[in-house]
Amino acid sequence: MATLTQKLLDFYQKSPRSIAVRLLHNQAPDMVITYEGLLNGSAGYSAALHEAGILPGEVVVLILRHGEHLLYAFFGALLHGSIPA
């Protein structure tokens, strides 16, 4: 069975510019994030976890406002092998 991270990478390889997520905002335009954008945004969070000494398998508590950075942090933790909470 494929993991969420494996599926994300598969979709990225097949169609990087396809829409991965559409964030709906109240009284603002919706935000579209492609698989390429999602992986690029998540890579920085994954690297930051590594640099902070967080090991794969450790739980990472994410405290961010709802929006694109929370999404990037969530997937960055998954890419790193951490467990986002």
Side-chain angles (χ1 to χ4, degrees):
M1 178 191 285
T3 64
L4 181 58
T5 304
Q6 290 168 331
K7 294 301 278 183
L8 173 64
L9 293 172
D10 287 345
F11 282 120
Y12 167 73
Q13 290 175 349
K14 290 176 187 172
S15 188
R17 291 198 168 81
S18 291
I19 296 172
V21 177
R22 185 181 307 269
L23 297 175
L24 306 178
H25 297 287
N26 187 21
Q27 300 179 5
D30 295 347
M31 179 177 200
V32 172
I33 300 174
T34 63
Y35 288 104
E36 182 177 43
L38 182 57
L39 282 174
N40 287 338
S42 300
Y45 284 95
S46 180
L49 292 172
H50 176 75
E51 290 171 14
I54 305 298
L55 299 174
E58 290 187 318
V59 175
V60 176
V61 177
L62 306 176
I63 303 173
L64 296 164
R65 290 183 183 263
H66 287 258
E68 69 179 302
H69 289 284
L70 178 58
L71 190 66
Y72 295 151
F74 178 85
F75 280 100
L78 290 179
L79 290 171
H80 178 67
S82 302
I83 302 165

